[in-house]
Amino acid sequence: MKLIVLNLSLLFLSLHLSSVFHFAIAKGGLISSNFSGLGDISYVGSARHLFEEKKFSMQEHIKRLNKLAEGYMSNAELEKAIKEFNRRCSSISRVYSIGESVLGVPLWVIEISDKPGKEEPEPAFKFIGNVHGDEPVGRELLLLLANWLCDNYMQHPLATLIVNNVHLHILPSLNPDGFQSRLRGNAKNVDLNRDFPDQFFHMNDDLGMRQPETKAIMSWLEKIHFTASATLHGGALVANYPWDGTTDEKKYYYACPDDKTFRFMASLYSNSHHNMSLSKEFPGGITNGAKWYPIYGGMQDWNYIYAGCFELTLEISDDKWPNASEIPVLWEFNRMSMLNLVASLVKTGIQGRIFSSDYGSPLAASISIKGINSTIKAGKVFADYHRLLTPGEKYEVVASMPGYKSKSTRIMLGEEASTVDFILDPVVAARDDLLPSRCDCSSFEKREQKLIELLPGQHSEILIIVILILLFLCFLMKRRVILNYLRPKQMAGQKRPLVV
Ligand SMILES: *[C@@H]1O[C@H](CO)[C@@H](O)[C@H](O)[C@H]1NC(C)=O
Ligand SMILES: *[C@@H]1O[C@H](CO)[C@@H](O)[C@H](O)[C@H]1NC(C)=O
Ligand SMILES: *[C@@H]1O[C@H](CO)[C@@H](O)[C@H](O)[C@H]1NC(C)=O
Ligand SMILES: *[C@@H]1O[C@H](CO)[C@@H](O)[C@H](O)[C@H]1NC(C)=O
Ligand SMILES: [Zn+2]
């Protein structure tokens, strides 16, 4: 309730944008809950050093950013760079748009893969930059990442691994309008990282109020099945993971079901970074979102809850808008982190495919882990699943699908990825009813009937033997159908897959 009131008052205030404000902090910028009146729009940050004491007038602030922006790509230049990249690197990329900003700027995405745009039994990862208009470092780094992958494909093992085994989708700028105006929110002054449906509060449930940028992300996730993702922000140096909010709006560690895996992912980023893990403020350079400061309507938690996509919020630069001359250094600091995070989808966790035992058809089943209250779905076309998990632990993996008997298996996950395929039996399993339709047993049955007509009563022993032989042949054929489906992709040095 309080949040709704706050939101309304914010909306009202945004129409009367005052000339004085503090810098909003990166992920959020909590509004102090007892603030009232129109005098001072304070985005009061709880993160100490981010909260600049000094107040700038709006004009001074924008003027300063305009000067700094000279070294950054404009929206038109970004579009040009994306298209140039695609021309230069057309064999392993494609460019598409997921929608438009409020002011009609296309939200361009680069997909990098050895088969861009094609469905494959591979994990998909997404990077999103510039969610906040005044945090432009991410959009620059993402273009550098795309170009690095193009230049190093078939030369650097990580580039080759990613291009060959992952579909990497890169959205350099979710908020081109905010970038243009040097402001945090979009052209309607809405913070896009507060515009998603929230698990605790209903402030964003009104579809009519949702921003086009938010809608574009939400429908993107309906089309593409992402395993994991990261959004790039600025204003701090830390890898932030779910939950971002608490039920009571208070600030404390609020673990999501996959807390351990998220800490593993966040640490992977932090430890590969030049100095994120040396942070004095955040032990190990990582933080639970709600422990840092709770936010509501964020993109990160929504990805995990509604799409099973493991998303991190990466604060990659203390200075939100550093001098452009620092971009090459920031790229060097973050390069291995970005690559290792994407590569972790292939190098760690479990993956596999799920089939029905009757005709070997792929099943878009659910995969869960005993003791972890979250499920992920297998892909619709190939029934492939990819699940990140902390290495070096024992897990019980459960595959379930309505109409089929669930199956589970215990695994010991090492440092490398494990492949676990499942073959599920139908529940109603009146096997004889199911036999005729696809494996061409119907033709056998017709022949059986002809045999019965040919061989009256006294030859019934022969008849039974013939039928048994036919049924056995039928059984062999079905097995072959299934085994043909179960030809997993082989990755270097990987153990033989487990079939359950
Ligand atoms: C209002 O904010 C002030 C400081 O800004 C704080 O001391 C006070 O406790 C707050 N009151 C409430 C009701 O939150
Ligand atoms: C950015 O840095 C360059 C050289 O390092 C300097 O010449 C330039 O004035 C700086 N720009 C701003 C806006 O501070
Ligand atoms: C990381 O390195 C940068 C540049 O050398 C420095 O400004 C920053 O304070 C360092 N941060 C930490 C946490 O060590
Ligand atoms: C699992 O999570 C759901 C929400 O995603 C919740 O409704 C349910 O109570 C949880 N179950 C357990 C056993 O914690
Ligand atoms: Zn941000």
Side-chain angles (χ1 to χ4, degrees), residues 135-201:
E135 295 165 17
V137 173
R139 58 191 250 152
E140 297 279 337
L141 296 201
L142 288 177
L143 254 290
L144 290 167
L145 173 68
N147 280 289
W148 187 90
L149 285 169
C150 180
D151 293 339
N152 289 279
Y153 179 49
M154 295 300 202
Q155 296 186 31
H156 191 289
L158 271 181
T160 311
L161 179 108
I162 288 170
V163 174
N164 287 346
N165 300 290
V166 178
H167 284 252
L168 175 60
H169 298 255
I170 296 173
L171 171 58
S173 176
L174 175 61
N175 189 1
D177 298 350
F179 174 81
Q180 190 52 46
S181 56
R182 321 294 181 219
L183 294 173
R184 177 184 182 83
N186 70 351
K188 293 264 168 70
N189 202 24
V190 173
D191 183 335
L192 299 175
N193 203 29
R194 303 292 183 280
D195 197 39
F196 285 82
D198 190 82
Q199 61 173 327
F200 304 126
F201 298 97

Side-chain angles (χ1 to χ4, degrees), residues 218-354:
M218 292 176 72
S219 56
W220 193 20
L221 267 80
E222 270 157 31
K223 289 189 201 100
I224 298 177
H225 190 73
F226 290 105
T227 297
S229 59
T231 56
L232 304 179
H233 291 253
L237 195 62
V238 67
N240 176 102
Y241 55 90
W243 297 127
D244 256 346
T246 54
T247 46
D248 55 6
E249 297 178 59
K250 297 219 173 75
K251 192 176 95 166
Y252 50 85
Y253 198 114
Y254 200 44
C256 77
D258 280 291
D259 188 60
K260 230 171 168 177
T261 299
F262 272 110
R263 272 187 284 137
F264 167 72
M265 285 171 71
S267 300
L268 185 69
Y269 196 91
S270 166
N271 291 332
S272 307
H273 186 277
H274 168 69
N275 64 357
M276 192 181 275
S277 62
L278 303 178
S279 170
K280 288 197 180 70
E281 186 179 5
F282 306 101
I286 66 172
T287 188
N288 172 266
K291 181 164 193 274
W292 187 13
Y293 58 95
I295 69 159
Y296 299 91
M299 184 170 11
Q300 172 189 276
D301 290 2
W302 182 83
N303 264 266
Y304 176 57
I305 296 167
Y306 296 94
C309 172
F310 287 48
E311 180 161 293
L312 297 177
T313 305
L314 302 170
E315 306 284 354
I316 55 169
S317 151
D318 275 319
D319 190 351
K320 282 189 179 201
W321 206 310
N323 188 316
S325 61
E326 289 174 39
I327 291 170
V329 175
L330 288 166
W331 161 239
E332 279 311 310
F333 287 4
N334 286 280
R335 183 166 56 94
M336 283 313 290
S337 296
M338 294 168 98
L339 295 170
N340 281 336
L341 186 62
V342 180
S344 73
L345 265 53
V346 182
K347 291 169 110 177
T348 61
I350 55 166
Q351 50 143 25
R353 297 177 67 188
I354 305 148

Side-chain angles (χ1 to χ4, degrees), residues 7-178:
N7 256 17
L8 286 175
S9 48
L10 254 187
L11 204 71
F12 179 57
L13 284 170
S14 68
L15 301 172
H16 299 260
L17 198 61
S18 113
S19 62
V20 184
F21 74 103
H22 297 278
F23 282 156
I25 63 172
K27 178 182 73 164
L30 276 181
I31 313 303
S32 70
S33 22
N34 67 358
F35 115 98
S36 61
L38 291 170
D40 183 42
I41 305 181
S42 299
Y43 288 88
V44 179
S46 55
R48 287 102 344 226
H49 72 277
L50 299 173
F51 173 44
E52 306 202 1
E53 295 301 324
K54 206 170 136 202
K55 289 180 181 179
F56 289 90
S57 83
M58 189 66 138
Q59 282 80 3
E60 273 176 67
H61 176 63
I62 301 279
K63 223 169 109 188
R64 188 176 148 264
L65 292 187
N66 279 339
K67 186 95 184 57
L68 283 165
E70 279 166 17
Y72 285 77
M73 287 180 280
S74 67
N75 285 332
E77 284 162 347
L78 176 66
E79 178 169 336
K80 205 165 148 239
I82 289 170
K83 296 196 164 155
E84 254 166 42
F85 165 81
N86 184 225
R87 262 193 298 279
R88 192 168 80 77
C89 215
S90 57
S91 61
I92 58 161
S93 75
R94 86 177 158 119
V95 166
Y96 63 100
S97 157
I98 56 164
E100 286 183 354
S101 68
V102 170
L103 299 180
V105 180
L107 304 173
W108 294 114
V109 174
I110 295 171
E111 178 186 353
I112 298 180
S113 157
D114 57 346
K115 295 193 181 67
K118 296 234 165 63
E119 190 79 40
E120 288 189 280
E122 291 181 354
F125 187 99
K126 68 174 151 57
F127 268 121
I128 301 179
N130 201 198
V131 175
H132 291 136
D134 58 349
E135 295 165 17
V137 173
R139 58 191 250 152
E140 297 279 337
L141 296 201
L142 288 177
L143 254 290
L144 290 167
L145 173 68
N147 280 289
W148 187 90
L149 285 169
C150 180
D151 293 339
N152 289 279
Y153 179 49
M154 295 300 202
Q155 296 186 31
H156 191 289
L158 271 181
T160 311
L161 179 108
I162 288 170
V163 174
N164 287 346
N165 300 290
V166 178
H167 284 252
L168 175 60
H169 298 255
I170 296 173
L171 171 58
S173 176
L174 175 61
N175 189 1
D177 298 350

